[in-house]
Amino acid sequence: MDFELPDDVREFCEVTRTIVRDLLPYEIEFQETGTVPPIVRQTLVDNGYFGMALPEQYGGLGLGALAQAAVQIELARLPPQFWTELRPLMGPGAKNIMYHASEAQREALLPGMATGEIPIAFALTEPNSGSDPGSMRTTAVRNADGWVINGSKTFISNGKKAKYVIVYAYTDKSAGARGGISAFLMSADTPGFSVTGTIELMGTATPGVFELSFDECQVGPDALIGELGRGFHYALEGLNEGRMNVGATAVGMGEYALELAIEESKQRPAFGGVISDFQAIRHYIATMATDMRAARLILLDAAWRYDQGEKRRELASMAKLFATEAGSRTVDTAVQIFGGTGYCRGFAVERLYRDIRITRIYEGSSEIQKNTIARELLR
């Protein structure tokens, strides 16, 4: 067994580490102003990161799951706000377009997505429908001109910037979630569509995530993505890969917190020495390092197998579950090692503490991952 990254992936990760190192100093400006400096986005666009997961024929880099995960581990050292727009381009919405959209839809969107000119949003979650998408209330009713969409969505990343929204709606309630939900591609310019609210978050996104409303939104027959009634399956398929991406983010945050904690422990004076002289701190670091190594290996194994055709839901769920839980433990311990300064704004570990918490919730909570793992194993 070869546990090393392929040479091309390793080289891309090294380039990414350098770019991240150059961009990290802009975090100070961001923390002071609340605005991401334009150079950050432009650097990511210029170096092809917006097209990482998108096919080469449409201007992307065509990276597989393993390469995406490895690169995201590096990007996760940056404040999440610096690369918020990248995540939807590797998430379920983008996968729906890549795998199931018509050729006309792909040609219209994918080149612009790869250059950052066409932001997209994935609109699945509703006020009364989070982990249970089957309880969604948004509907799409067929008429002579296509479909009329009515309903609302919430916690939608990129909702305000998106030029196109991938909307999931019931087209046949009697068929249930697995046969009655369909996916639609809708322009944000569609009459009746509006961003009705901003939900401010503890971390991760600025200014937050968004509430969307669909009031008699008329879309054409060509707005349907893939087959009628297959939207639920498409969403789950996209979430499978998306969960590994979330795991990669958590691994990157956890590894960064570990590095910061090690450095702090070797410098912070206490009782005539430094705190790394004490067994308690050494045990903390040993546990953190073991957690993060295990998380990295579980994640990269799942991603490698995905690229080999083993698109097993339990492996993606294991990767997300372990990586996010281990990453959260590691960041929490890093704050403990830093002491009071770790709880102060302006320190990276404080930012990591706020940002990593959501990884155990979105793209399927830890509890949902456990349900998925057990269900797949008990089949």
mmCIF file of all heavy atoms in Angstrom, residues 96 122-124 126 133 136 138-142 147 149 153 165-173 175-185 219 221 223-235:
data_model
loop_
_atom_site.group_PDB
_atom_site.id
_atom_site.type_symbol
_atom_site.label_atom_id
_atom_site.label_comp_id
_atom_site.label_asym_id
_atom_site.label_seq_id
_atom_site.Cartn_x
_atom_site.Cartn_y
_atom_site.Cartn_z
ATOM 1 N N ASN A 96 -24.330 18.252 -9.162
ATOM 2 C CA ASN A 96 -25.579 18.055 -9.904
ATOM 3 C C ASN A 96 -25.465 18.578 -11.329
ATOM 4 O O ASN A 96 -25.911 17.940 -12.281
ATOM 5 C CB ASN A 96 -26.735 18.767 -9.206
ATOM 6 C CG ASN A 96 -27.260 18.024 -7.996
ATOM 7 O OD1 ASN A 96 -28.223 18.452 -7.382
ATOM 8 N ND2 ASN A 96 -26.645 16.911 -7.615
ATOM 9 N N PHE A 122 -26.655 26.291 -3.564
ATOM 10 C CA PHE A 122 -27.311 24.989 -3.422
ATOM 11 C C PHE A 122 -28.457 25.165 -2.428
ATOM 12 O O PHE A 122 -28.219 25.353 -1.235
ATOM 13 C CB PHE A 122 -26.277 23.982 -2.915
ATOM 14 C CG PHE A 122 -26.809 22.606 -2.582
ATOM 15 C CD1 PHE A 122 -27.203 21.729 -3.583
ATOM 16 C CD2 PHE A 122 -26.876 22.176 -1.261
ATOM 17 C CE1 PHE A 122 -27.649 20.449 -3.274
ATOM 18 C CE2 PHE A 122 -27.319 20.899 -0.933
ATOM 19 C CZ PHE A 122 -27.709 20.038 -1.942
ATOM 20 N N ALA A 123 -29.697 25.137 -2.925
ATOM 21 C CA ALA A 123 -30.856 25.457 -2.100
ATOM 22 C C ALA A 123 -31.674 24.211 -1.799
ATOM 23 O O ALA A 123 -32.600 23.854 -2.534
ATOM 24 C CB ALA A 123 -31.711 26.521 -2.780
ATOM 25 N N LEU A 124 -31.319 23.547 -0.696
ATOM 26 C CA LEU A 124 -32.026 22.341 -0.266
ATOM 27 C C LEU A 124 -32.713 22.550 1.080
ATOM 28 O O LEU A 124 -33.891 22.256 1.241
ATOM 29 C CB LEU A 124 -31.037 21.178 -0.167
ATOM 30 C CG LEU A 124 -31.586 19.826 0.312
ATOM 31 C CD1 LEU A 124 -32.577 19.248 -0.689
ATOM 32 C CD2 LEU A 124 -30.445 18.836 0.567
ATOM 33 N N GLU A 126 -34.618 23.915 4.339
ATOM 34 C CA GLU A 126 -35.766 24.797 4.561
ATOM 35 C C GLU A 126 -35.950 25.032 6.057
ATOM 36 O O GLU A 126 -35.366 24.311 6.886
ATOM 37 C CB GLU A 126 -37.029 24.184 3.960
ATOM 38 C CG GLU A 126 -36.948 24.001 2.457
ATOM 39 C CD GLU A 126 -38.277 23.560 1.843
ATOM 40 O OE1 GLU A 126 -39.277 23.419 2.597
ATOM 41 O OE2 GLU A 126 -38.310 23.365 0.611
ATOM 42 N N PRO A 133 -34.755 16.094 4.365
ATOM 43 C CA PRO A 133 -35.183 16.837 3.174
ATOM 44 C C PRO A 133 -36.540 16.401 2.645
ATOM 45 O O PRO A 133 -37.198 17.142 1.921
ATOM 46 C CB PRO A 133 -34.071 16.566 2.149
ATOM 47 C CG PRO A 133 -33.422 15.306 2.617
ATOM 48 C CD PRO A 133 -33.524 15.330 4.107
ATOM 49 N N MET A 136 -39.558 18.772 3.031
ATOM 50 C CA MET A 136 -39.568 20.095 2.408
ATOM 51 C C MET A 136 -40.968 20.456 1.906
ATOM 52 O O MET A 136 -41.788 19.592 1.576
ATOM 53 C CB MET A 136 -38.555 20.182 1.263
ATOM 54 C CG MET A 136 -38.903 19.428 -0.003
ATOM 55 S SD MET A 136 -37.804 19.820 -1.382
ATOM 56 C CE MET A 136 -36.211 19.377 -0.744
ATOM 57 N N THR A 138 -41.289 23.286 -0.400
ATOM 58 C CA THR A 138 -41.178 23.961 -1.696
ATOM 59 C C THR A 138 -41.717 23.056 -2.798
ATOM 60 O O THR A 138 -41.432 21.861 -2.827
ATOM 61 C CB THR A 138 -39.717 24.332 -1.978
ATOM 62 O OG1 THR A 138 -39.260 25.211 -0.952
ATOM 63 C CG2 THR A 138 -39.567 25.023 -3.332
ATOM 64 N N THR A 139 -42.494 23.649 -3.694
ATOM 65 C CA THR A 139 -43.113 22.884 -4.771
ATOM 66 C C THR A 139 -42.782 23.496 -6.129
ATOM 67 O O THR A 139 -42.485 24.686 -6.243
ATOM 68 C CB THR A 139 -44.643 22.846 -4.618
ATOM 69 O OG1 THR A 139 -45.152 24.197 -4.671
ATOM 70 C CG2 THR A 139 -45.044 22.191 -3.307
ATOM 71 N N ALA A 140 -42.845 22.665 -7.143
ATOM 72 C CA ALA A 140 -42.721 23.105 -8.535
ATOM 73 C C ALA A 140 -43.883 22.477 -9.292
ATOM 74 O O ALA A 140 -43.996 21.250 -9.366
ATOM 75 C CB ALA A 140 -41.383 22.679 -9.129
ATOM 76 N N VAL A 141 -44.751 23.315 -9.797
ATOM 77 C CA VAL A 141 -45.960 22.847 -10.480
ATOM 78 C C VAL A 141 -45.830 23.111 -11.971
ATOM 79 O O VAL A 141 -45.507 24.217 -12.402
ATOM 80 C CB VAL A 141 -47.216 23.557 -9.917
ATOM 81 C CG1 VAL A 141 -48.461 23.109 -10.670
ATOM 82 C CG2 VAL A 141 -47.354 23.272 -8.420
ATOM 83 N N ARG A 142 -46.071 22.074 -12.754
ATOM 84 C CA ARG A 142 -45.926 22.202 -14.202
ATOM 85 C C ARG A 142 -47.059 23.060 -14.782
ATOM 86 O O ARG A 142 -48.224 22.962 -14.369
ATOM 87 C CB ARG A 142 -45.961 20.817 -14.854
ATOM 88 C CG ARG A 142 -45.458 20.823 -16.305
ATOM 89 C CD ARG A 142 -45.819 19.516 -17.009
ATOM 90 N NE ARG A 142 -45.234 18.333 -16.401
ATOM 91 C CZ ARG A 142 -44.084 17.782 -16.792
ATOM 92 N NH1 ARG A 142 -43.391 18.327 -17.764
ATOM 93 N NH2 ARG A 142 -43.646 16.684 -16.194
ATOM 94 N N TRP A 147 -42.381 25.423 -15.351
ATOM 95 C CA TRP A 147 -42.660 25.110 -13.954
ATOM 96 C C TRP A 147 -42.801 26.397 -13.147
ATOM 97 O O TRP A 147 -42.100 27.372 -13.407
ATOM 98 C CB TRP A 147 -41.524 24.274 -13.344
ATOM 99 C CG TRP A 147 -41.279 22.992 -14.065
ATOM 100 C CD1 TRP A 147 -40.467 22.783 -15.148
ATOM 101 C CD2 TRP A 147 -41.873 21.718 -13.767
ATOM 102 N NE1 TRP A 147 -40.504 21.481 -15.543
ATOM 103 C CE2 TRP A 147 -41.359 20.790 -14.700
ATOM 104 C CE3 TRP A 147 -42.765 21.262 -12.795
ATOM 105 C CZ2 TRP A 147 -41.712 19.452 -14.707
ATOM 106 C CZ3 TRP A 147 -43.121 19.928 -12.782
ATOM 107 C CH2 TRP A 147 -42.596 19.036 -13.728
ATOM 108 N N ILE A 149 -42.350 27.687 -9.312
ATOM 109 C CA ILE A 149 -41.758 27.300 -8.036
ATOM 110 C C ILE A 149 -42.243 28.227 -6.928
ATOM 111 O O ILE A 149 -42.209 29.457 -7.060
ATOM 112 C CB ILE A 149 -40.223 27.337 -8.122
ATOM 113 C CG1 ILE A 149 -39.732 26.381 -9.215
ATOM 114 C CG2 ILE A 149 -39.593 26.976 -6.775
ATOM 115 C CD1 ILE A 149 -38.232 26.433 -9.454
ATOM 116 N N LYS A 153 -36.251 28.708 1.349
ATOM 117 C CA LYS A 153 -35.057 27.962 1.742
ATOM 118 C C LYS A 153 -34.296 28.784 2.778
ATOM 119 O O LYS A 153 -34.423 30.014 2.828
ATOM 120 C CB LYS A 153 -34.149 27.692 0.530
ATOM 121 C CG LYS A 153 -34.816 26.920 -0.604
ATOM 122 C CD LYS A 153 -35.088 25.475 -0.249
ATOM 123 C CE LYS A 153 -35.733 24.721 -1.405
ATOM 124 N NZ LYS A 153 -35.993 23.298 -1.065
ATOM 125 N N VAL A 165 -29.274 29.469 -8.927
ATOM 126 C CA VAL A 165 -29.592 28.697 -7.733
ATOM 127 C C VAL A 165 -30.084 27.320 -8.159
ATOM 128 O O VAL A 165 -30.943 27.206 -9.046
ATOM 129 C CB VAL A 165 -30.681 29.400 -6.894
ATOM 130 C CG1 VAL A 165 -30.974 28.610 -5.623
ATOM 131 C CG2 VAL A 165 -30.258 30.827 -6.553
ATOM 132 N N ILE A 166 -29.527 26.272 -7.555
ATOM 133 C CA ILE A 166 -30.031 24.913 -7.779
ATOM 134 C C ILE A 166 -31.095 24.682 -6.713
ATOM 135 O O ILE A 166 -30.785 24.625 -5.523
ATOM 136 C CB ILE A 166 -28.907 23.858 -7.692
ATOM 137 C CG1 ILE A 166 -27.906 24.044 -8.840
ATOM 138 C CG2 ILE A 166 -29.494 22.458 -7.783
ATOM 139 C CD1 ILE A 166 -26.801 25.004 -8.566
ATOM 140 N N VAL A 167 -32.344 24.599 -7.139
ATOM 141 C CA VAL A 167 -33.483 24.535 -6.225
ATOM 142 C C VAL A 167 -34.070 23.124 -6.237
ATOM 143 O O VAL A 167 -34.309 22.546 -7.307
ATOM 144 C CB VAL A 167 -34.586 25.527 -6.641
ATOM 145 C CG1 VAL A 167 -35.661 25.608 -5.553
ATOM 146 C CG2 VAL A 167 -34.023 26.893 -6.940
ATOM 147 N N TYR A 168 -34.341 22.608 -5.049
ATOM 148 C CA TYR A 168 -34.989 21.302 -4.916
ATOM 149 C C TYR A 168 -36.426 21.528 -4.479
ATOM 150 O O TYR A 168 -36.685 22.275 -3.534
ATOM 151 C CB TYR A 168 -34.232 20.427 -3.906
ATOM 152 C CG TYR A 168 -32.830 20.148 -4.372
ATOM 153 C CD1 TYR A 168 -31.811 21.082 -4.167
ATOM 154 C CD2 TYR A 168 -32.516 18.981 -5.063
ATOM 155 C CE1 TYR A 168 -30.532 20.858 -4.626
ATOM 156 C CE2 TYR A 168 -31.242 18.746 -5.526
ATOM 157 C CZ TYR A 168 -30.255 19.686 -5.304
ATOM 158 O OH TYR A 168 -28.979 19.470 -5.779
ATOM 159 N N ALA A 169 -37.354 20.878 -5.186
ATOM 160 C CA ALA A 169 -38.768 21.103 -4.912
ATOM 161 C C ALA A 169 -39.563 19.841 -5.214
ATOM 162 O O ALA A 169 -39.177 19.030 -6.069
ATOM 163 C CB ALA A 169 -39.290 22.260 -5.763
ATOM 164 N N TYR A 170 -40.666 19.685 -4.519
ATOM 165 C CA TYR A 170 -41.563 18.576 -4.816
ATOM 166 C C TYR A 170 -42.294 18.835 -6.125
ATOM 167 O O TYR A 170 -42.903 19.878 -6.328
ATOM 168 C CB TYR A 170 -42.594 18.401 -3.701
ATOM 169 C CG TYR A 170 -42.204 17.388 -2.656
ATOM 170 C CD1 TYR A 170 -41.848 17.780 -1.375
ATOM 171 C CD2 TYR A 170 -42.186 16.024 -2.958
ATOM 172 C CE1 TYR A 170 -41.476 16.840 -0.416
ATOM 173 C CE2 TYR A 170 -41.821 15.082 -2.010
ATOM 174 C CZ TYR A 170 -41.465 15.493 -0.744
ATOM 175 O OH TYR A 170 -41.100 14.557 0.191
ATOM 176 N N THR A 171 -42.216 17.870 -7.020
ATOM 177 C CA THR A 171 -43.016 17.909 -8.239
ATOM 178 C C THR A 171 -44.149 16.900 -8.175
ATOM 179 O O THR A 171 -45.082 16.947 -8.966
ATOM 180 C CB THR A 171 -42.131 17.628 -9.475
ATOM 181 O OG1 THR A 171 -41.317 16.472 -9.230
ATOM 182 C CG2 THR A 171 -41.233 18.819 -9.785
ATOM 183 N N ASP A 172 -44.053 15.979 -7.213
ATOM 184 C CA ASP A 172 -45.116 14.991 -6.999
ATOM 185 C C ASP A 172 -45.043 14.525 -5.546
ATOM 186 O O ASP A 172 -44.323 13.596 -5.215
ATOM 187 C CB ASP A 172 -44.938 13.801 -7.956
ATOM 188 C CG ASP A 172 -46.054 12.769 -7.827
ATOM 189 O OD1 ASP A 172 -46.970 12.975 -6.991
ATOM 190 O OD2 ASP A 172 -46.003 11.756 -8.544
ATOM 191 N N LYS A 173 -45.814 15.191 -4.698
ATOM 192 C CA LYS A 173 -45.772 14.887 -3.266
ATOM 193 C C LYS A 173 -46.193 13.442 -2.985
ATOM 194 O O LYS A 173 -45.655 12.784 -2.079
ATOM 195 C CB LYS A 173 -46.704 15.843 -2.523
ATOM 196 C CG LYS A 173 -46.540 15.830 -1.006
ATOM 197 C CD LYS A 173 -45.312 16.598 -0.573
ATOM 198 C CE LYS A 173 -45.224 16.723 0.936
ATOM 199 N NZ LYS A 173 -44.056 17.463 1.393
ATOM 200 N N ALA A 175 -45.477 10.853 -4.533
ATOM 201 C CA ALA A 175 -44.411 9.891 -4.819
ATOM 202 C C ALA A 175 -43.365 9.842 -3.712
ATOM 203 O O ALA A 175 -42.461 9.001 -3.753
ATOM 204 C CB ALA A 175 -43.740 10.227 -6.151
ATOM 205 N N GLY A 176 -43.487 10.724 -2.715
ATOM 206 C CA GLY A 176 -42.529 10.746 -1.627
ATOM 207 C C GLY A 176 -41.201 11.354 -2.042
ATOM 208 O O GLY A 176 -41.000 11.711 -3.213
ATOM 209 N N ALA A 177 -40.291 11.451 -1.089
ATOM 210 C CA ALA A 177 -39.017 12.123 -1.343
ATOM 211 C C ALA A 177 -38.215 11.449 -2.452
ATOM 212 O O ALA A 177 -37.637 12.112 -3.310
ATOM 213 C CB ALA A 177 -38.194 12.176 -0.060
ATOM 214 N N ARG A 178 -38.190 10.129 -2.465
ATOM 215 C CA ARG A 178 -37.327 9.410 -3.402
ATOM 216 C C ARG A 178 -37.858 9.363 -4.824
ATOM 217 O O ARG A 178 -37.144 8.955 -5.731
ATOM 218 C CB ARG A 178 -37.057 8.000 -2.886
ATOM 219 C CG ARG A 178 -36.270 8.005 -1.579
ATOM 220 C CD ARG A 178 -35.860 6.622 -1.114
ATOM 221 N NE ARG A 178 -35.072 6.704 0.099
ATOM 222 C CZ ARG A 178 -33.757 6.924 0.150
ATOM 223 N NH1 ARG A 178 -33.087 7.066 -0.976
ATOM 224 N NH2 ARG A 178 -33.125 6.993 1.302
ATOM 225 N N GLY A 179 -39.072 9.790 -5.015
ATOM 226 C CA GLY A 179 -39.612 9.795 -6.372
ATOM 227 C C GLY A 179 -40.328 11.079 -6.749
ATOM 228 O O GLY A 179 -40.742 11.245 -7.900
ATOM 229 N N GLY A 180 -40.440 11.982 -5.774
ATOM 230 C CA GLY A 180 -41.241 13.173 -6.025
ATOM 231 C C GLY A 180 -40.513 14.491 -5.973
ATOM 232 O O GLY A 180 -41.097 15.543 -6.266
ATOM 233 N N ILE A 181 -39.223 14.486 -5.605
ATOM 234 C CA ILE A 181 -38.449 15.723 -5.546
ATOM 235 C C ILE A 181 -37.608 15.849 -6.813
ATOM 236 O O ILE A 181 -36.966 14.884 -7.236
ATOM 237 C CB ILE A 181 -37.540 15.755 -4.301
ATOM 238 C CG1 ILE A 181 -38.388 15.802 -3.024
ATOM 239 C CG2 ILE A 181 -36.589 16.945 -4.349
ATOM 240 C CD1 ILE A 181 -37.573 15.735 -1.747
ATOM 241 N N SER A 182 -37.614 17.034 -7.389
ATOM 242 C CA SER A 182 -36.828 17.293 -8.593
ATOM 243 C C SER A 182 -35.898 18.479 -8.357
ATOM 244 O O SER A 182 -36.096 19.271 -7.426
ATOM 245 C CB SER A 182 -37.746 17.582 -9.787
ATOM 246 O OG SER A 182 -38.599 16.486 -10.046
ATOM 247 N N ALA A 183 -34.887 18.586 -9.197
ATOM 248 C CA ALA A 183 -33.907 19.673 -9.085
ATOM 249 C C ALA A 183 -34.053 20.613 -10.273
ATOM 250 O O ALA A 183 -34.236 20.163 -11.412
ATOM 251 C CB ALA A 183 -32.494 19.109 -9.033
ATOM 252 N N PHE A 184 -33.954 21.901 -10.001
ATOM 253 C CA PHE A 184 -34.116 22.916 -11.038
ATOM 254 C C PHE A 184 -32.968 23.918 -10.978
ATOM 255 O O PHE A 184 -32.435 24.225 -9.909
ATOM 256 C CB PHE A 184 -35.442 23.664 -10.856
ATOM 257 C CG PHE A 184 -36.659 22.801 -11.025
ATOM 258 C CD1 PHE A 184 -37.197 22.127 -9.939
ATOM 259 C CD2 PHE A 184 -37.248 22.640 -12.268
ATOM 260 C CE1 PHE A 184 -38.310 21.317 -10.081
ATOM 261 C CE2 PHE A 184 -38.367 21.830 -12.422
ATOM 262 C CZ PHE A 184 -38.896 21.166 -11.324
ATOM 263 N N LEU A 185 -32.613 24.409 -12.163
ATOM 264 C CA LEU A 185 -31.610 25.451 -12.284
ATOM 265 C C LEU A 185 -32.335 26.762 -12.561
ATOM 266 O O LEU A 185 -33.003 26.903 -13.593
ATOM 267 C CB LEU A 185 -30.654 25.128 -13.433
ATOM 268 C CG LEU A 185 -29.515 26.116 -13.682
ATOM 269 C CD1 LEU A 185 -28.592 26.193 -12.479
ATOM 270 C CD2 LEU A 185 -28.734 25.701 -14.932
ATOM 271 N N VAL A 219 -40.136 29.192 -14.353
ATOM 272 C CA VAL A 219 -38.931 28.765 -15.062
ATOM 273 C C VAL A 219 -39.360 27.920 -16.255
ATOM 274 O O VAL A 219 -40.441 27.333 -16.270
ATOM 275 C CB VAL A 219 -37.983 27.956 -14.149
ATOM 276 C CG1 VAL A 219 -37.492 28.825 -12.997
ATOM 277 C CG2 VAL A 219 -38.652 26.696 -13.630
ATOM 278 N N PRO A 221 -39.170 24.856 -19.246
ATOM 279 C CA PRO A 221 -39.034 23.398 -19.169
ATOM 280 C C PRO A 221 -37.583 22.947 -19.157
ATOM 281 O O PRO A 221 -37.263 21.866 -18.647
ATOM 282 C CB PRO A 221 -39.765 22.900 -20.415
ATOM 283 C CG PRO A 221 -39.812 24.081 -21.338
ATOM 284 C CD PRO A 221 -39.874 25.293 -20.467
ATOM 285 N N ALA A 223 -35.301 24.165 -17.407
ATOM 286 C CA ALA A 223 -34.706 24.421 -16.099
ATOM 287 C C ALA A 223 -34.529 23.137 -15.295
ATOM 288 O O ALA A 223 -33.732 23.086 -14.356
ATOM 289 C CB ALA A 223 -35.563 25.402 -15.303
ATOM 290 N N LEU A 224 -35.261 22.094 -15.655
ATOM 291 C CA LEU A 224 -35.154 20.826 -14.945
ATOM 292 C C LEU A 224 -33.750 20.247 -15.101
ATOM 293 O O LEU A 224 -33.206 20.196 -16.204
ATOM 294 C CB LEU A 224 -36.179 19.833 -15.483
ATOM 295 C CG LEU A 224 -36.197 18.438 -14.843
ATOM 296 C CD1 LEU A 224 -36.688 18.514 -13.406
ATOM 297 C CD2 LEU A 224 -37.070 17.486 -15.661
ATOM 298 N N ILE A 225 -33.156 19.814 -13.994
ATOM 299 C CA ILE A 225 -31.845 19.167 -14.025
ATOM 300 C C ILE A 225 -32.057 17.655 -14.023
ATOM 301 O O ILE A 225 -32.676 17.110 -13.105
ATOM 302 C CB ILE A 225 -30.987 19.580 -12.819
ATOM 303 C CG1 ILE A 225 -30.667 21.081 -12.864
ATOM 304 C CG2 ILE A 225 -29.692 18.772 -12.783
ATOM 305 C CD1 ILE A 225 -29.891 21.588 -11.651
ATOM 306 N N GLY A 226 -31.565 17.000 -15.044
ATOM 307 C CA GLY A 226 -31.672 15.551 -15.112
ATOM 308 C C GLY A 226 -33.105 15.083 -15.283
ATOM 309 O O GLY A 226 -33.898 15.694 -15.997
ATOM 310 N N GLU A 227 -33.440 14.002 -14.589
ATOM 311 C CA GLU A 227 -34.757 13.383 -14.742
ATOM 312 C C GLU A 227 -35.736 13.886 -13.687
ATOM 313 O O GLU A 227 -35.366 14.216 -12.564
ATOM 314 C CB GLU A 227 -34.629 11.859 -14.612
ATOM 315 C CG GLU A 227 -33.752 11.211 -15.658
ATOM 316 C CD GLU A 227 -33.637 9.715 -15.433
ATOM 317 O OE1 GLU A 227 -34.604 9.102 -14.929
ATOM 318 O OE2 GLU A 227 -32.582 9.149 -15.750
ATOM 319 N N LEU A 228 -36.989 13.918 -14.076
ATOM 320 C CA LEU A 228 -38.054 14.303 -13.165
ATOM 321 C C LEU A 228 -38.115 13.304 -12.003
ATOM 322 O O LEU A 228 -38.054 12.090 -12.203
ATOM 323 C CB LEU A 228 -39.392 14.327 -13.915
ATOM 324 C CG LEU A 228 -40.604 14.874 -13.161
ATOM 325 C CD1 LEU A 228 -40.427 16.357 -12.871
ATOM 326 C CD2 LEU A 228 -41.883 14.643 -13.977
ATOM 327 N N GLY A 229 -38.213 13.843 -10.787
ATOM 328 C CA GLY A 229 -38.347 12.986 -9.613
ATOM 329 C C GLY A 229 -37.053 12.409 -9.074
ATOM 330 O O GLY A 229 -37.075 11.628 -8.124
ATOM 331 N N ARG A 230 -35.910 12.793 -9.645
ATOM 332 C CA ARG A 230 -34.623 12.237 -9.203
ATOM 333 C C ARG A 230 -33.822 13.210 -8.338
ATOM 334 O O ARG A 230 -32.678 12.931 -7.977
ATOM 335 C CB ARG A 230 -33.789 11.847 -10.421
ATOM 336 C CG ARG A 230 -34.377 10.719 -11.252
ATOM 337 C CD ARG A 230 -34.226 9.389 -10.556
ATOM 338 N NE ARG A 230 -32.819 8.994 -10.424
ATOM 339 C CZ ARG A 230 -32.410 7.957 -9.715
ATOM 340 N NH1 ARG A 230 -33.284 7.227 -9.032
ATOM 341 N NH2 ARG A 230 -31.120 7.648 -9.646
ATOM 342 N N GLY A 231 -34.416 14.332 -7.980
ATOM 343 C CA GLY A 231 -33.688 15.355 -7.237
ATOM 344 C C GLY A 231 -33.141 14.884 -5.906
ATOM 345 O O GLY A 231 -32.019 15.236 -5.518
ATOM 346 N N PHE A 232 -33.919 14.088 -5.183
ATOM 347 C CA PHE A 232 -33.470 13.581 -3.890
ATOM 348 C C PHE A 232 -32.200 12.738 -4.055
ATOM 349 O O PHE A 232 -31.245 12.874 -3.292
ATOM 350 C CB PHE A 232 -34.589 12.745 -3.251
ATOM 351 C CG PHE A 232 -34.264 12.211 -1.889
ATOM 352 C CD1 PHE A 232 -34.423 13.001 -0.761
ATOM 353 C CD2 PHE A 232 -33.797 10.911 -1.724
ATOM 354 C CE1 PHE A 232 -34.125 12.514 0.509
ATOM 355 C CE2 PHE A 232 -33.502 10.406 -0.458
ATOM 356 C CZ PHE A 232 -33.670 11.216 0.657
ATOM 357 N N HIS A 233 -32.173 11.897 -5.063
ATOM 358 C CA HIS A 233 -31.004 11.055 -5.328
ATOM 359 C C HIS A 233 -29.800 11.905 -5.725
ATOM 360 O O HIS A 233 -28.672 11.629 -5.300
ATOM 361 C CB HIS A 233 -31.327 10.043 -6.422
ATOM 362 C CG HIS A 233 -32.459 9.126 -6.078
ATOM 363 N ND1 HIS A 233 -32.287 7.983 -5.331
ATOM 364 C CD2 HIS A 233 -33.792 9.204 -6.345
ATOM 365 C CE1 HIS A 233 -33.455 7.375 -5.163
ATOM 366 N NE2 HIS A 233 -34.379 8.094 -5.774
ATOM 367 N N TYR A 234 -30.057 12.944 -6.530
ATOM 368 C CA TYR A 234 -28.959 13.811 -6.938
ATOM 369 C C TYR A 234 -28.366 14.546 -5.739
ATOM 370 O O TYR A 234 -27.139 14.705 -5.638
ATOM 371 C CB TYR A 234 -29.438 14.837 -7.971
ATOM 372 C CG TYR A 234 -29.960 14.255 -9.264
ATOM 373 C CD1 TYR A 234 -30.777 15.016 -10.104
ATOM 374 C CD2 TYR A 234 -29.637 12.964 -9.661
ATOM 375 C CE1 TYR A 234 -31.263 14.499 -11.300
ATOM 376 C CE2 TYR A 234 -30.115 12.435 -10.860
ATOM 377 C CZ TYR A 234 -30.939 13.211 -11.667
ATOM 378 O OH TYR A 234 -31.422 12.703 -12.848
ATOM 379 N N ALA A 235 -29.223 14.998 -4.838
ATOM 380 C CA ALA A 235 -28.751 15.713 -3.655
ATOM 381 C C ALA A 235 -27.894 14.806 -2.784
ATOM 382 O O ALA A 235 -26.806 15.203 -2.329
ATOM 383 C CB ALA A 235 -29.934 16.261 -2.860
#
